[in-house]
C-alpha cells in the first residue's frame, strides 16, 4: 500500500462501559518519512493535528449514532 506516511495504522475498538453504553476508542499509529525531520514533524505538528481530527470525526459519529443528524452537517463544510 502506498501513501504519504512510512506507517499509518488506524483501528476502532468498541467496548461496553459499566453503564451499558458503547465506547469507541481510536488507535492510531503514524510514522512520517524522512528520518529525524519526519520524527520532528510528528512531534510538533502531526500529533496535535490527528488528535483534533479524530475528536471532530468522533463527534460526528456520535451525533449520527444518537440520531442528531442536523448537528453533524456543519462538519461537512
Amino acid at each position: 500500500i502506498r501513501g504519504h506516511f512510512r506507517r499509518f495504522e488506524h483501528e476502532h475498538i468498541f467496548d461496553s462501559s459499566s453503564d451499558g453504553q458503547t465506547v469507541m476508542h481510536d488507535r492510531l499509529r503514524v510514522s512520517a518519512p524522512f528520518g529525524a525531520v519526519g520524527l520532528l514533524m510528528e512531534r510538533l505538528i502531526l500529533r496535535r493535528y490527528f488528535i483534533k481530527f479524530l475528536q471532530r470525526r468522533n463527534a460526528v459519529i456520535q451525533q449520527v449514532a444518537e440520531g442528531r443528524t442536523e448537528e453533524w452537517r456543519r462538519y461537512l463544510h
Side-chain angles (χ1 to χ4, degrees):
I1 298 174
R2 294 180 172 219
H4 296 289
F5 295 97
R6 190 169 47 120
R7 174 176 155 183
F8 191 97
E9 299 173 18
H10 181 206
E11 48 183 325
H12 296 120
I13 298 140
F14 295 90
D15 291 319
S16 296
S17 65
S18 60
D19 62 355
Q21 300 289 317
T22 299
V23 179
M24 183 183 78
H25 304 276
D26 279 290
R27 182 175 294 156
L28 181 64
R29 295 178 192 97
V30 176
S31 296
F34 309 120
V37 173
L39 182 60
L40 185 63
M41 294 294 286
E42 286 175 36
R43 293 189 177 162
L44 293 177
I45 298 171
L46 291 176
R47 177 179 289 236
R48 279 186 290 226
Y49 169 80
F50 280 119
I51 289 171
K52 288 180 183 179
F53 172 81
L54 291 173
Q55 287 172 337
R56 286 191 309 266
R57 193 216 44 182
N58 290 348
V60 171
I61 290 170
Q62 180 180 6
Q63 291 167 0
V64 171
E66 293 175 352
R68 296 183 288 148
T69 56
E70 294 303 316
E71 294 177 43
W72 68 267
R73 293 182 196 281
R74 66 186 164 123
Y75 288 100
L76 298 177
H77 301 287

